[in-house]
Every structure is written in structure tokens, then in C-alpha cells.
Amino acid sequence: MHGARAGALRWCLLGCGWLIVGAAMAAGNTPTLAETLAGSTAAEWRAVDPDQTLYMDLPQGRVVIELAPRFAPLHVANIRALVREKYFDGLAILRAQDNFVVQWGDPDDMRPLGRAQAELDAEFTVPLDTTPFVRLPDRDGYAPQVGFSDGFAAARDPRAKQQWLIHCYGAIGVARGNDPRSGNGSSLYAVIGQAPRQLDRNIAVVGRVLRGMELLSTRPRGSGAMGFYEQPAERLSITAVRFASELPEAERLRLQVLRSDSRSFATLLEARRNRHDEWMRNPPGFLEVCNVPVPGRLAP
Amino acid sequence: MHGARAGALRWCLLGCGWLIVGAAMAAGNTPTLAETLAGSTAAEWRAVDPDQTLYMDLPQGRVVIELAPRFAPLHVANIRALVREKYFDGLAILRAQDNFVVQWGDPDDMRPLGRAQAELDAEFTVPLDTTPFVRLPDRDGYAPQVGFSDGFAAARDPRAKQQWLIHCYGAIGVARGNDPRSGNGSSLYAVIGQAPRQLDRNIAVVGRVLRGMELLSTRPRGSGAMGFYEQPAERLSITAVRFASELPEAERLRLQVLRSDSRSFATLLEARRNRHDEWMRNPPGFLEVCNVPVPGRLAP
């Protein structure tokens, strides 16, 4: 009896509604993510620029990263110089610290940077400009304003006339030492846990993972301090890092991101803030900026 | 030159200071976590009750969970009944959804619950009582008050006279279907990504992972809907789940948690809120409740 009664329900837990397309809307429920995306129009999707897209190929598969040159132009340019010289090929994932970051780079820190700069002006924040920004009405503790810019979680401080990217899950940042100019993009990290917002405005965030996040988030955690791998054999070798634009067009993934200023994204935000369906008993009435999935897809 | 100059610094990134014990304090810097813990007194640590501690043994190692009976007395009692009857032995990890949860239980949903109840009154919140609570001064968007109760991240609503545990990284919750009474503890999940705060007050949270979190967070993500494993072979079998108190004393881990009302924990909170050292350029001046590591250790 127990099995027959509770089985399917208890399993689908955590929101059966998100899976059931159609029935919920008919019942007046909050549209599910699947429903919202199914109802989106082609114009609501932005094609990801192959010239701002990195493919990091690992033995297990490909991690796809979208860079955000508006938020860290010098760092993105430096990463571009490194990638064009195949700097990352054969380097390694050096560190995986649970609930924090996975980091990669040169284990010996000896590989020449070629045309790339060893030091860069800090880009922890950049001046407010005409970057699109869809502001969340929800209050944030770490920044005066938070929202989304072309799919990137971002913050603004109108008084300081600055903006910056937020360290949400999947954000890609530039490792640095104590010197704010010491981050040059030759060592990068991805956030794999609770958003380490204390890093915001202290490190240049240069992009976010669009696909293959699980290849990073499931890396065995290192046993050394801060999750560094203590034995070279524990490191995972990076096969190659390329810009999508370096590959023949037929070999590129035609990725799209749901526009931050689209009606469907607004629907999605409101559904997460105030979801009403059979499962949800106490809709939060609030939305934290890093608790938002920004949908991506292959071009239909 | 590049290697010699930037190497150690760029690697220790993300806060070299947290590793360097001693020097920082001498320089007037914010004490590091290591410094704070090194300076803690024995009285600041609470011994974890073996009768509220679950050992979930997986082929790769042991996950240690501390239960919080004050926040979900009926659910903890039901889990106790299940564990005493060895309900979980030979069951499996069924699901791993990236940036969300890992869930375990009975893949066939056929195993009898024995003396445990199939339905329980919902414990999404419990009445405010004399539970210790150290409130954070930092504003939270999801709850009127947030803080820590015996090491568990918790929220309070004084007007509604309710309290509840928060879905931070490592929190353990009780899977349920649409019926609020359908969660009985026979299927549990652990949060492995950004705190899914929308689940707060919608599911009974019964505890948190004290050790072995990486055994859950690195599980391969399932390719089915919501991260369910599509093939039985992808599931990971649970060797056994026992209360620590069921084991001979010599075989128990003597775990301690830093008391939420201790001076050292207050120091740690303030160091995360306003860290001043050589690395940090823009201390956040704010602390989000799920962005706090609650220290544990083996009894010295």
C-alpha cells in the first residue's frame, strides 16, 4: 500500500509541478519552467557569440564558457591572447574545494605567457555604461542593485557609478595573489557551491559556464589546503581550450541564452518568486539573484 | 620571471590570508579562520550527540549527518524508527541534480516501513520555543530573522511564532509529494548547490552533513529528469545507515561543533562580514546566512 500510494509522488518531490507540462497552467497554477520555455518566441533568445565562447575540452567532455568582455575587457583580451597561443592545452585542473571553487592553470607556473600580459589593471568593477541591465526588485545584501545583463548575474552601484558580475554558481573568475594586478587569466576558477559573494568586487569575474558544469562540479575534492591536489596524478589534464570561432562552423555548438529583458525570463523570475501549484505551500515571495536558472539551449 | 614572480601568489588566490596563521594578526589584520579556531577554548565546542548522529556508509566512505530533532521531532523520530530497522541498508542514491540536490531512498519504493509511519504531520516550521538562537544582524530576503541554532542555519518569524531550518549547502531534507503529509523520511536529500531557499517552509529539514559531504556532492549527475539516474547501474548502493549510538563507543567519531553562541563563532562571522587583510580590497560588509562555514572537528 505504501509503495502504491506514495511512490511516484514522493519521488518527484521538490516540485512535481515543474515536470508536468500543460495541466498546471490549465488549473491556473504558476507556469512551470518547461511551460514558460515552451511558450517562448525565437526573438526572446540571443545567439551566443562564438568569438566570446570558450570550449574547454577535458577527457570526459566539453565545458562551454561564455565570456563577458563588457565586464572585464582587459582580462578577456588577455585570456584571448592566451587561448590563441594554446596556453591552456596540457595544463590541468589543480584544485577542487567543496562548496567553493574548481581552479585550473599551470601546475608548475612556468609556461610562458607569450603575447599575454603578466599583470593587468584590476577589473573588479567597471564603470556603469550602456550595458543592458534588468534589475530585480528584490533587495540584495551585498550590492545596492542586482539583476541580469545578457544572462549574467550582475550588480550595480549607481552612487559609485560601478557595475560588476556576481559570483553565482558557475561563474568564472580570474585567480590572483594579494596584488590586485596579479590576476592575468592564466589561472581561472569556477564557482561550484554557495555563491561566495564576499569575492564580488575583489576579483575579476570574466564569464560563466553555459554547458558541462557537471564536469567541474563533480571533480574529486583535493585533500590539500584549499582543495589543492597533493599528488600530480590527482590533477585532471586539460586537453585543449579554444574559442568556438576557431573551429569550423559545422563543429560549433549553436547555443542560445534566454534574453534577460524577455517576457519569458520575467515570467520565470516571477514563478520562482511566487510559485503557486499543488506542491508549493509557502511561496517565498522573494528571489535571490543567484537562485535563478538562466536558461540556455541549442538553437532549434 | 613570470613563474618566479607570480607563482605562489596567484595560486593561493581567493584569500591567501586564510592560510597564513599568525602573521596576519600581528599585522592588525582580521583573524583568519585557522587563527580563530586555534584560539578557541574547549568550552566553545559542543559534543555532537551520538544519538542524533547518522552514519551513512557508502562504498567510498562515510557521510555523517547530525539530526535536529527540535526542528522536526516527528520526522526525526520516524527516521529513527527506519534506521533501527535497517531500512536504508542496500537502498541507493537515486538522483543527483547539478546545483540542487542528491537524493536517496528505495528505487522500487516497495520496502516495508515497519514501525515507521507512512504519513506524518508536516513540520515545515515548528513553534518558536526555547531553542537557542544566535541572530545575524544581516537582513535576509527570505525570512524575518536568520541565524544559527546549535550550528544549524535557522530562521524565525516572531509574528507567526514559527521557526525553521534553512536549506543551506549540506542541509538534509525529507522528500515529499504534493501532499504535505507524504514526507516520512524514507527518502532524504542533501543540498549540493546554491541554497534553494524557495524550499524553506515547504519541506521538513531534519539535519545537516557534518562530514563526508564530498561523497555526495561529487556524485555523477543523473541524465534523467531532475537528475534521476535512468539506469539502475548508475545508482550508488548504500551499505548501511546507523546511529552513532548503535556502534560500540570505540568505533564512534567524537565530533564537536563550534557553539553558535561562542565568542569564536562571533569572531568568525565578523571576519567573513568585514575582512581586512592584504588580499581583500572590498570587504562586503554583509553576511548571507548560507555563506557561513560552521566549524566542526574531532575532539582533541
Side-chain angles (χ1 to χ4, degrees):
Chain A
M1 190 209 84
H2 157 68
R5 187 192 48 74
L9 278 181
R10 200 168 65 250
W11 283 28
C12 73
L13 92 128
L14 300 182
C16 311
W18 292 80
L19 269 191
I20 303 160
V21 181
M25 282 193 87
N29 287 350
T30 300
T32 65
L33 178 61
E35 287 167 342
T36 300
L37 297 185
S40 66
T41 66
E44 293 188 302
W45 296 84
R46 168 180 67 81
V48 178
D49 183 352
D51 212 35
Q52 305 297 348
T53 306
L54 286 180
Y55 293 160
M56 177 162 73
D57 288 334
L58 302 174
Q60 294 85 349
R62 173 170 289 177
V63 179
V64 180
I65 294 166
E66 181 175 15
L67 296 172
R70 295 189 202 217
F71 284 89
L74 298 176
H75 286 72
V76 167
N78 221 46
I79 291 168
R80 190 177 305 281
L82 291 167
V83 168
R84 290 223 170 118
E85 297 179 36
K86 304 184 176 20
Y87 174 83
F88 292 99
D89 298 16
L91 296 185
I93 294 182
L94 307 173
R95 169 190 185 198
Q97 181 172 356
D98 199 59
N99 193 18
F100 196 30
V101 298
V102 162
Q103 185 186 343
W104 56 95
D106 181 0
D108 306 310
D109 207 38
M110 293 294 285
R111 187 172 290 199
L113 297 179
R115 289 187 187 85
Q117 304 295 314
E119 294 196 332
L120 293 175
D121 285 348
E123 292 176 313
F124 306 156
T125 66
V126 292
L128 266 184
D129 61 10
T130 56
T131 310
F133 183 70
V134 176
R135 184 178 171 188
L136 286 183
D138 312 83
R139 189 187 170 108
D140 183 77
Y142 288 96
Q145 299 181 1
V146 294
F148 294 88
S149 178
D150 281 341
F152 295 95
R156 293 188 157 206
D157 183 343
R159 274 205 321 194
K161 297 189 172 62
Q162 297 289 314
Q163 61 184 344
W164 59 94
L165 292 184
I166 294 174
H167 277 86
C168 294
Y169 191 90
I172 301 288
V174 172
R176 70 165 174 91
N178 284 342
D179 182 347
R181 293 173 47 83
S182 59
N184 58 34
S186 62
S187 188
L188 300 171
Y189 61 89
V191 172
I192 61 163
Q194 179 71 17
R197 298 286 304 276
Q198 70 277 14
L199 301 180
D200 290 358
R201 300 187 298 131
N202 283 286
I203 279 196
V205 176
V206 292
R208 72 181 184 104
V209 176
L210 293 187
R211 286 168 77 100
M213 185 62 201
E214 69 284 0
L215 298 168
L216 300 175
S217 59
T218 62
R219 292 312 306 156
R221 303 333 189 203
S223 56
M226 303 197 300
F228 276 94
Y229 297 119
E230 296 183 285
Q231 303 301 325
E234 296 177 281
R235 297 177 192 142
L236 182 70
S237 185
I238 297 168
T239 309
V241 176
R242 295 284 180 278
F243 277 90
S245 53
E246 295 181 273
L247 273 66
E249 211 158 325
E251 293 174 30
R252 301 177 195 165
L253 291 167
R254 293 178 56 228
L255 290 172
Q256 300 181 331
V257 169
L258 187 63
R259 288 183 187 277
S260 301
D261 59 358
S262 67
R263 183 170 175 165
S264 289
F265 191 61
T267 301
L268 180 162
L269 294 176
E270 182 54 20
R272 270 185 100 75
R273 188 183 293 114
N274 286 302
R275 177 177 143 207
H276 297 279
D277 62 20
E278 290 303 303
W279 190 86
M280 184 65 86
R281 298 290 150 167
N282 291 297
F286 180 82
L287 185 56
E288 198 269 313
V289 64
C290 286
N291 197 5
V292 174
V294 178
R297 69 176 186 186
L298 286 172
Chain B
M1 190 207 85
H2 157 67
R5 187 191 49 72
L9 278 181
R10 200 170 62 252
W11 283 27
C12 72
L13 91 127
L14 299 182
C16 312
W18 292 80
L19 267 192
I20 303 161
V21 180
M25 282 193 89
N29 287 350
T30 301
T32 65
L33 179 59
E35 287 167 342
T36 300
L37 298 185
S40 67
T41 65
E44 293 187 304
W45 295 83
R46 168 179 66 83
V48 178
D49 183 352
D51 212 36
Q52 304 298 347
T53 306
L54 285 180
Y55 293 161
M56 177 162 73
D57 288 335
L58 302 173
Q60 294 86 349
R62 174 169 288 176
V63 179
V64 180
I65 294 166
E66 182 176 14
L67 297 172
R70 295 191 203 218
F71 285 89
L74 298 176
H75 286 72
V76 168
N78 221 46
I79 291 168
R80 189 177 306 281
L82 292 167
V83 169
R84 291 225 170 116
E85 297 180 35
K86 304 184 175 21
Y87 175 82
F88 291 101
D89 298 16
L91 296 185
I93 294 183
L94 306 172
R95 169 189 185 199
Q97 182 172 356
D98 199 59
N99 194 19
F100 196 31
V101 298
V102 163
Q103 186 185 344
W104 56 95
D106 180 1
D108 306 310
D109 206 39
M110 292 295 285
R111 187 172 290 198
L113 297 179
R115 289 187 189 85
Q117 305 295 312
E119 294 195 333
L120 293 175
D121 286 348
E123 292 177 313
F124 306 157
T125 65
V126 291
L128 266 184
D129 61 9
T130 56
T131 310
F133 184 69
V134 176
R135 185 179 170 187
L136 286 183
D138 312 83
R139 190 187 167 107
D140 183 79
Y142 288 96
Q145 299 181 0
V146 294
F148 293 88
S149 179
D150 281 342
F152 295 95
R156 291 187 160 209
D157 184 342
R159 273 205 320 195
K161 298 190 173 59
Q162 296 289 312
Q163 61 183 345
W164 59 94
L165 291 185
I166 295 173
H167 277 85
C168 294
Y169 190 90
I172 301 289
V174 172
R176 71 166 174 91
N178 283 342
D179 182 346
R181 295 174 46 83
S182 59
N184 59 34
S186 62
S187 187
L188 300 170
Y189 62 88
V191 172
I192 62 163
Q194 179 70 18
R197 297 286 305 276
Q198 71 278 14
L199 300 180
D200 290 357
R201 301 186 299 134
N202 283 287
I203 278 196
V205 177
V206 292
R208 72 182 184 104
V209 175
L210 293 187
R211 288 168 77 101
M213 186 60 201
E214 70 283 1
L215 298 168
L216 300 175
S217 59
T218 62
R219 292 311 308 155
R221 302 335 188 201
S223 56
M226 303 195 300
F228 275 94
Y229 297 120
E230 296 184 283
Q231 302 301 324
E234 297 176 281
R235 298 177 192 142
L236 183 70
S237 183
I238 297 168
T239 310
V241 176
R242 295 285 180 276
F243 277 90
S245 53
E246 294 182 274
L247 274 66
E249 212 161 324
E251 292 175 30
R252 301 176 195 166
L253 291 167
R254 292 179 55 227
L255 290 172
Q256 300 180 331
V257 169
L258 188 63
R259 287 183 187 275
S260 300
D261 59 358
S262 67
R263 183 168 175 166
S264 289
F265 191 61
T267 301
L268 179 161
L269 294 176
E270 182 54 22
R272 269 185 101 77
R273 188 183 292 115
N274 286 301
R275 176 177 143 205
H276 297 279
D277 61 22
E278 291 302 303
W279 190 87
M280 184 65 84
R281 298 289 149 169
N282 292 297
F286 180 81
L287 186 55
E288 198 269 313
V289 64
C290 286
N291 198 4
V292 173
V294 178
R297 68 176 186 185
L298 286 173

